[in-house]
Each structure stands twice: as structure tokens, then as C-alpha cells.
Amino acid sequence: DEGGGGELLGGSAELPPWQAAAARRKRLLQRLKQRRRRQEEAPAGGGGSRAGGSGGGGGAAGTAGTLALLLGEGSKRLPQAIIIGVKKGGTRALLEFLRVHPDVRAVGAEPHFFDRNYERGLAWYRDLMPRTLEGQITMEKTPSYFVTKEAPARISSMSKGTKLIVVVRDPVTRAISDYTQTLSKKPDIPTFESLTFKNRTTGLIDTSWSAIQIGIYAKHLENWLLYFPIGQILFVSGERLITDPAGELGRVQDFLGLKRIITDKHFYFNKTKGFPCLKKAEGSSKPHCLGKTKGRTHPDIDQEVVQRLRDFYRPFNMKEERAHLKGFWGWELHTEMMLMAHPEGVGGDPSLQACAGNFLVSSGHAGGNVSVTKIC
């Protein structure tokens, strides 16, 4: 905290600026060495949380990284991993949870570089990123990338090795959440039911409405698979981010090649909001929940409309030629993405864990039968 660190950072005002900076750096590093020495001399199991960096998980390494970044070390890099979607899937929660990890550095605001600001150039994009040290991962999240036709080619042009994360949830629930957000800003918009149909009498769904279109996941995925192998795309369950945040974060940390530092101890369930919150946020010792714009109460929707939407999404997300993946999106309610995200739970085959969620799946809707083919 530079604002309250007079003793630590000050005391060199009479020196030329460059000498003052060097003296300040020397004092910080001395303090760090002293802290490390105390930790090494401390009994096992004692004082571990004292030295925690981001969210108490990083130990001395996290502290060292924080001090180094405060000293202006490190450099701004283009992101090695991007959360590309989907809107109202849980992307903000995932990013906030990931920022607890000492080896993850992420820009807070959505850059919208690959959909709205591409003409500004990569130098502009890089400058938005936080400084990182060797071994740290730079990340950003912009959910609209997943449904932006030009985004896959543009990201591939930046780096073919970019890791992509897609947070998905039941497309019907997602559409209602999307509508709820718009309703909070524009209370006079038509009802969800009237926007869903081009003609309610015939049951013709209006696929031009973005709230509906986003949920046709297979259609959008097809575009990404033209530029990225499936092994570079991780599907995260928005539902499981709520019911088992540590489990989902474990999978994400593995996918990013990170040590599993974020665990159950970082979360508590907020009954008022209805979703998990962090016991300690990045750079803070205080609990942190997502803002009031998250977890809004959904309006009551006609259940006949809900069922028609489920029937609508099912063939889209199973259509072989559209997904190029032989039933990749076998969907029964929200189980499509649960199966994608949790191979360890499919058919009881633990060998699928190594696939990091990437496999072909088709499900029988009546009997719940599941067939799986590994593709990794």
C-alpha cells in the first residue's frame, strides 16, 4: 500500500529520483529477505497465511511477486489465456476467483479488443494488460468474443497457442438471465415470452434475438474449431461454479498449467446472494462478493415457453454436421455442459479426466443413456 507505507517506501526524498528509487527497492528486498528468514525458521504449519500473496495462497512467492510488481518490475504481455464466453454464463465470477492465484494477472475491465477495438492494434491491447513476471499468466475476459465471427481468426493471428476458456450454462436459464439484465436497464421492454417467438401460435422461435442466439453453442463453436484445436478450449460449467467453485477452479488451474492453490478454503457460500464469495479477494484481506448486478432474481416465465426453448436448443446442439463433432453437444436440460466439463462423471470412466473435458458425447433423452468417445 503506497499510500500508507511511509516508513517502508519513504525516507529518501533528499536523494535524486533514481537514487531514491534504488534505495527504496533495496529496503523492500531487505524486508522480503527478513520475512523469508522468519518463515524458514518458523515451526512447520505455523504462520503460513501471514505471508500469503493474493488471497493468502501464494506464500513467500506471492509476496515476492507483489513487491516486484510494485517496484515496476515485469512487463506487459499479450494474454496467454482468454475467457471468451459466454455472456451471463459466470465469466466475471471465474475471473475474480482466478485473480486470487498469485501466478494469474488479469485486466479487470473487458477490453473488447477482438470485437470492437481491433483497429487500435496489438500495441494498444498490450498496454491494457497488467505487468507480469516470468512464470505468471496474463489473462482477460470478454464474453462477446464467443459469438463474434471475426474473433477466432484475430486471436489466432495474435497467437495460435492462446488457451481459451468458455463458461457455459443451461442455454434457457442463460437466455432468461440475459433478459433479466436488459430488463433492469430498460423496464419497458416487451415480455420474455413475446421476444422469444416470431409467431407464438406456430411456436417459431426468433433466432435473431441475441438472448436466444448466444445459446446455440455448437453453431458458435464451429467457427472456433476452424482456428483452434479442441484441446486448447476448456469448457467450464457455470452451474458448478456455484455449487462447487473449488472443483471447477481446480480444473481451470490444471488447464492453465498452474499449481492448484485456489481451494475450498478460499470460498464461503453467501445465502443472501445464493452463490459463493471469496474469503479474501485479490490484494485484500476482506471478504468479497460480486456486485449487486450479479444474482438478480429472474422473472417468472411461462413453463410452456421454457419447454419450447428446451426443445428448440436440443437439435441445434446435437446436429452433427453443424458441430463437426458427432453429437458433441448432446443436451438434456443443462447436462450438455456438465458432461463436457466433467468427464470424470461420465460413464464412470476415470481415464477421461486426462482429456480436460474434451470429448464427444451424445445422450439419450428418455433413458439418460450416455455414450462417450475420447478425442484427446
Side-chain angles (χ1 to χ4, degrees):
D1 181 0
E2 293 183 352
E7 177 189 354
L8 185 62
L9 299 178
S12 303
E14 70 281 359
L15 298 175
W18 67 270
Q19 288 184 339
R24 191 162 61 246
R25 175 175 177 172
K26 183 177 180 180
R27 284 196 296 276
L28 281 169
L29 293 176
Q30 286 174 341
R31 291 287 182 91
L32 177 60
K33 288 178 181 179
Q34 291 171 0
R35 181 177 292 184
R36 280 178 174 169
R37 193 176 301 116
R38 288 197 298 269
Q39 290 170 344
E40 290 169 356
E41 294 171 354
S49 62
R50 245 181 102 187
S54 299
T63 304
T66 301
L67 289 175
L69 290 167
L70 284 173
L71 290 166
E73 295 186 359
S75 59
K76 294 189 175 187
R77 298 180 175 92
L78 293 169
Q80 296 94 49
I82 303 175
I83 301 173
I84 59 172
V86 299
K87 181 184 178 184
K88 307 309 296 179
T91 58
R92 174 54 60 185
L94 177 60
L95 186 70
E96 292 303 308
F97 295 165
L98 277 174
R99 291 173 75 173
V100 170
H101 200 294
D103 289 333
V104 172
R105 298 280 291 162
V107 59
E110 296 175 2
H112 283 281
F113 175 65
F114 295 104
D115 57 351
R116 302 179 189 170
N117 295 301
Y118 195 63
E119 73 284 351
R120 293 176 180 262
L122 286 173
W124 176 87
Y125 184 47
R126 182 188 288 109
D127 196 53
L128 297 178
M129 301 299 140
R131 290 182 176 275
T132 54
L133 303 172
E134 191 67 33
Q136 290 184 319
I137 292 177
T138 302
M139 292 189 67
E140 70 114 318
K141 78 106 176 170
T142 304
S144 53
Y145 290 162
F146 188 64
V147 297
T148 298
K149 185 178 181 180
E150 298 82 8
R154 290 171 174 177
I155 294 176
S156 177
S157 177
M158 175 187 74
S159 172
K160 294 183 183 300
T162 305
K163 293 187 176 182
L164 308 172
I165 299 175
V166 190
V167 187
V168 287
R169 65 193 291 198
D170 174 352
V172 180
T173 306
R174 196 223 65 81
I176 296 171
S177 180
D178 199 336
Y179 171 80
T180 303
Q181 176 175 285
T182 305
L183 184 65
S184 70
K185 300 174 183 178
K186 301 176 181 178
D188 57 343
I189 62 171
T191 65
F192 180 87
E193 290 85 347
S194 62
L195 290 169
T196 296
F197 298 100
K198 283 186 176 180
N199 186 322
R200 186 164 184 178
T201 303
T202 62
L204 183 62
I205 303 292
D206 187 356
T207 57
S208 66
W209 185 28
S210 64
I212 300 296
Q213 189 182 73
I214 290 172
I216 309 174
Y217 300 133
K219 175 185 174 183
H220 305 300
L221 177 64
E222 181 179 285
N223 194 27
W224 289 90
L225 293 177
L226 295 175
Y227 297 91
F228 292 93
I230 192 67
Q232 275 177 236
I233 306 174
L234 179 71
F235 296 94
V236 174
S237 164
E239 285 85 359
R240 283 291 292 268
L241 274 180
I242 296 174
T243 61
D244 182 20
E248 285 302 275
L249 266 293
R251 294 180 57 250
V252 176
Q253 289 171 97
D254 291 347
F255 176 70
L256 295 176
L258 297 169
K259 182 179 179 181
R260 282 201 178 198
I261 286 177
I262 307 171
T263 62
D264 282 323
K265 69 181 181 180
H266 288 90
F267 302 97
Y268 73 95
F269 190 80
N270 185 305
K271 293 182 179 179
T272 302
K273 283 186 169 290
F275 51 74
C277 301
L278 290 167
K279 291 181 180 178
K280 293 181 180 180
E282 179 196 29
S284 171
S285 60
K286 298 179 180 180
H288 173 67
C289 282
L290 297 179
K292 61 182 181 180
T293 61
K294 305 299 179 183
R296 296 185 182 94
T297 301
H298 291 181
D300 290 329
I301 305 297
D302 185 331
Q303 286 306 299
E304 181 186 351
V305 174
V306 171
Q307 187 56 51
R308 286 198 181 187
L309 277 174
R310 295 206 187 285
D311 294 340
F312 163 78
Y313 279 119
R314 187 174 293 117
F316 269 106
N317 289 334
M318 290 186 68
K319 199 169 184 181
E320 295 183 11
E321 62 270 28
R322 185 173 291 278
H324 295 308
L325 286 175
K326 298 183 180 178
F328 189 93
W329 302 102
W331 189 284
E332 176 61 24
L333 302 184
H334 65 274
T335 57
E336 167 195 330
M337 287 305 165
M338 296 294 285
L339 291 169
M340 284 295 301
H342 292 278
E344 69 278 8
V346 177
D349 184 356
S351 69
L352 291 176
Q353 293 183 35
C355 293
N358 302 314
F359 55 91
L360 313 183
V361 57
S362 60
S363 61
H365 304 299
N369 298 320
V370 176
S371 62
V372 176
T373 303
K374 289 184 285 186
I375 57 171
C376 56

